[in-house]
Amino acid sequence: APKHDTEAHLERTRARLARFGVDVRDDKKRGRCLVAAKDFKRGDLVLANAPYGLPVPMGDRCAGCFLNKDDDRVRDKMGCKACDMVWFCSQRCMDGAMDGGHAVECAAMRRYFADDPDDAIRENGFVQFSALHRNCGKTAHPEDTDEPLDDHLPYLTPTAADKADTIARWALDGFPWREYVPYGGDFAATATQGARAFGLVPKTATDETIKKEVVRSRMNDFFIQQWRGGDPELMAGATYPLGALLNHSCAPSCVCSYRLEVDATRYPTWIQEFRCVTDVCKGTELTHAYVDASDWSNHRRAELLDRYGFVCDCPRCPTNEAGEPTNPPPTCPLPYSKSGVAPPLTPEMTRKDRDAQMARVVWCQEACWAQVALEHDKRAHVTVKIAGDLIAAAESAEEVSVERAKAEKAADLLRKLKVDPTSHENLQMTEPFHPCPTVPMRIRALQMASNMAMIEQDFESSLRLGEELVDVMEAGYGTRWHARIANELVRLGGVAADGLKNDESAAEKFREALEIGKVTCGIDSWVCERAKHALAVLS
């Protein structure tokens, strides 16, 4: 394969991005960044790009367009007769999947399962190996000097050179990819061994090449997802090398969404789109959140370190006067960030590793934060501990009434709790947490309480708790322009309309959901379609 020229590729990339009004800048601290080359308003599209390749989706979905079998748009269900592992909702989807890589995967599966028909790989390993095959299988990285692949399209189409650029720049920057293998040091080796056994990686690809691809994938790839009420539906992991130009911030200027494109392309594909959630001035870096920005910064930082290898120093994370991270997460052998879950300890761990693991656990516990930060207010730190126990009990409750009672009690305790605004000084921090660690706890409690009240048909309480939830979410995210808030407003609109017969309140909720949804999810999203339909019915 020809050697990749990073400087020449940068100039081609800048020329391609120019039509969106964005540019690329190299920053010594943040690496390669996407910046605004003009002023943008909230809702403006700053980038739209197709995936480099679409692997087999997760769950029971069409292997061509990723639609769920229960989706109204699915008219047919054609199984792959050769491997019986995937299905398609149309001949076009089947043709697209075959051209995209399934023809090779199908042959490999037939060979593999003929020898070992009961292998556990059938459950989840195939999805992982499919992604590795479709990203690593294209070993050549042709330069795209004279290939105007996307001039006629409303989005950019990535080339092999776009994907190759990340690893090529790592070599120049001295990125320690060998040392940074997330989810345990043996993950890359295990993935390499499994992919080779399955027969999906070219024999010419070295173990080092595959390991680099595994790390690149873990750091740069995205989950295609859709918001359809509640938590987002994860459909597949995919490579969007142009979208990966946007760096992380817990106070992002942009939001990422996905749209199924069926008309402008030969085969159905998922277009990744970034829109501004605030006004952006020319020259400003464009960012989006890699993790849940409403979470406590200790949790966010731990997740970012474990998956992406950096400690966040954005405006919402604790920094010192020089702008360097303060209170960084302790490193640990196995990733661990959330509280309320047993720490991952293994018999093979040394005493040093177990101590490091427990240090991370302590660092990630809200109750431990309260014990130190609120040391002069014993009632407050005991309240945080009780509320955390109630939330954990609610999440594991089997009865609706029990879950609601415990969640409401936790929400009430946290609602009344007054955190000393100078408590961060007890942790030698120059500024408070954004948000306060009790905010994500309130979100979890209110979400359960409002949903359980709705199930019990106590619609008045559900609406009241839900409205409080939206306000707390806004405090958590630092903005109201988030897909989760748009989804919650759709639910509350339904509670007001169907449960309370309050059309005025319902219309208000649906109008705001539509306004936020157009920016955070896209005008053709489930959120916007539900809101538009509800408003039409109410009128």
Side-chain angles (χ1 to χ4, degrees):
K3 185 177 179 180
H4 179 80
D5 187 333
T6 57
E7 291 303 319
H9 182 76
L10 173 60
E11 293 308 311
R12 286 193 299 275
T13 301
R14 296 179 70 181
R16 295 170 67 200
L17 292 169
R19 63 165 149 142
F20 285 98
V22 298
D23 195 6
V24 178
R25 179 178 71 202
D26 281 329
D27 184 275
K28 289 184 179 180
K29 188 175 182 181
R30 293 180 62 78
R32 186 152 290 180
C33 310
L34 199 68
V35 297
K38 64 177 185 179
D39 293 343
F40 287 102
K41 297 291 185 183
R42 178 188 286 137
D44 286 349
L45 181 71
V46 300
L47 179 64
N49 68 123
Y52 177 71
L54 290 178
V56 170
M58 296 178 290
D60 198 358
R61 299 179 179 278
C62 170
C65 66
F66 296 1
L67 292 181
N68 191 284
K69 64 177 182 178
D70 298 324
D71 195 293
D72 294 338
R73 291 168 288 181
V74 173
R75 305 298 183 193
D76 199 1
K77 189 175 178 181
M78 307 159 52
C80 179
K81 297 179 181 179
C83 68
D84 195 31
M85 287 281 288
V86 299
W87 60 272
F88 313 94
C89 69
S90 68
Q91 186 65 45
R92 189 175 173 217
C93 283
M94 178 182 288
D95 293 342
M98 291 296 181
D99 282 358
H102 184 65
V104 175
E105 293 164 352
C106 192
M109 281 187 287
R110 288 199 303 273
R111 292 192 301 269
Y112 189 88
F113 290 118
D115 296 332
D116 195 349
D118 298 322
D119 195 290
I121 228 172
R122 184 179 292 272
E123 298 299 324
N124 53 27
F126 174 53
V127 173
Q128 172 187 310
F129 295 148
S130 169
L132 187 59
H133 158 239
R134 298 193 191 189
N135 284 329
C136 199
K138 300 178 182 179
T139 55
H141 303 300
E143 300 300 339
D144 51 349
T145 308
D146 300 315
E147 296 183 30
L149 301 176
D150 44 34
D151 287 354
H152 63 294
L153 297 172
Y155 51 83
L156 299 178
T157 301
T159 65
D162 289 322
K163 190 179 76 66
D165 194 60
T166 297
I167 293 179
R169 284 188 288 109
W170 282 357
L172 295 175
D173 299 338
F175 178 79
W177 64 268
R178 287 182 179 83
E179 287 71 34
Y180 178 65
V181 181
Y183 302 108
D186 293 331
F187 179 83
T190 302
T192 301
Q193 182 181 4
R196 287 204 187 283
F198 205 68
L200 282 179
V201 176
K203 294 181 180 179
T204 54
T206 65
D207 286 357
E208 180 175 297
T209 297
I210 298 171
K211 287 180 180 179
K212 286 182 178 180
E213 180 56 37
V214 170
V215 175
R216 186 214 57 77
S217 173
R218 286 288 180 179
M219 292 184 66
N220 277 12
D221 284 2
F222 295 80
F223 275 119
I224 299 176
Q225 59 185 27
Q226 278 195 309
W227 293 86
R228 299 178 66 87
D231 293 327
E233 293 182 9
L234 303 180
M235 294 184 287
T239 302
Y240 289 87
L242 297 171
L245 290 171
L246 281 85
N247 285 329
H248 164 79
S249 174
C250 299
S253 57
C254 300
V255 64
C256 176
S257 62
Y258 297 88
R259 173 178 61 83
L260 178 60
E261 175 63 69
V262 295
D263 297 324
T265 55
R266 183 180 179 188
Y267 305 122
T269 192
W270 284 89
I271 304 302
Q272 182 188 64
E273 297 177 330
F274 292 91
R275 293 182 179 82
C276 292
V277 292
T278 186
D279 293 348
V280 176
C281 297
K282 179 180 178 180
T284 304
E285 182 183 0
L286 299 169
T287 59
H288 75 112
Y290 293 4
V291 297
D292 184 355
S294 72
D295 208 348
W296 176 27
S297 61
N298 278 22
H299 290 170
R300 300 196 308 262
R301 278 182 158 178
E303 188 173 352
L304 289 166
L305 177 63
D306 293 339
R307 171 141 192 164
Y308 302 101
F310 68 88
V311 178
C312 186
D313 60 356
C314 79
R316 298 190 82 216
C317 287
T319 55
N320 58 25
E321 295 179 355
E324 300 296 329
T326 59
N327 190 36
T331 56
C332 63
L334 295 175
Y336 179 86
S337 61
K338 299 294 184 181
S339 60
V341 180
L345 301 174
T346 66
E348 295 78 18
M349 281 185 177
T350 64
R351 176 63 181 270
K352 182 179 178 181
D353 285 345
R354 293 175 71 88
D355 289 347
Q357 197 72 37
M358 290 307 301
R360 171 67 74 83
V361 172
V362 170
W363 188 83
C364 284
Q365 292 285 343
E366 290 94 341
C368 296
W369 155 78
Q371 188 172 2
V372 178
L374 310 178
E375 63 176 345
H376 302 303
D377 188 348
K378 187 173 180 62
R379 180 185 295 273
H381 81 242
V382 170
T383 298
V384 172
K385 176 66 169 64
I386 294 172
D389 291 343
L390 285 168
I391 290 171
E395 290 173 334
S396 61
E398 296 182 0
E399 296 181 10
V400 170
S401 60
V402 175
E403 179 175 339
R404 178 184 174 184
K406 292 186 179 296
E408 280 199 32
K409 187 173 182 179
D412 186 56
L413 287 172
L414 294 169
R415 185 186 301 115
K416 296 175 180 177
L417 179 65
K418 303 298 181 184
V419 176
D420 181 354
T422 65
S423 60
H424 60 280
E425 296 175 0
N426 293 328
L427 299 169
Q428 288 76 52
M429 293 169 53
T430 58
E431 57 190 56
F433 288 109
H434 300 288
C436 174
T438 59
V439 169
M441 295 177 70
R442 285 184 68 189
I443 290 174
R444 290 159 63 192
L446 288 167
Q447 205 161 26
M448 287 186 287
S450 181
N451 284 332
M452 294 306 102
M454 180 179 67
I455 292 174
E456 291 186 327
Q457 297 189 348
D458 183 356
F459 299 114
E460 185 174 344
S461 294
S462 179
L463 184 62
R464 172 178 53 79
L465 292 165
E467 289 175 337
E468 181 183 354
L469 170 61
V470 169
D471 290 339
V472 178
M473 280 183 174
E474 182 177 3
Y477 289 113
T479 178
R480 207 167 177 87
W481 296 84
H482 194 279
R484 192 179 297 274
I485 291 179
N487 273 260
E488 183 61 23
L489 288 167
V490 168
R491 186 185 73 85
L492 294 179
V495 170
D498 302 331
L500 298 175
K501 310 302 180 185
N502 186 336
D503 291 353
E504 182 179 353
S505 175
E508 180 184 352
K509 300 288 188 297
F510 287 126
R511 279 194 293 268
E512 187 176 11
L514 180 59
E515 183 182 10
I516 297 174
K518 285 189 292 187
V519 174
T520 60
C521 302
I523 189 61
D524 297 325
S525 64
W526 176 89
V527 172
C528 291
E529 290 298 328
R530 286 292 297 268
K532 287 186 288 187
H533 175 75
L535 288 170
V537 171
L538 290 172
S539 63

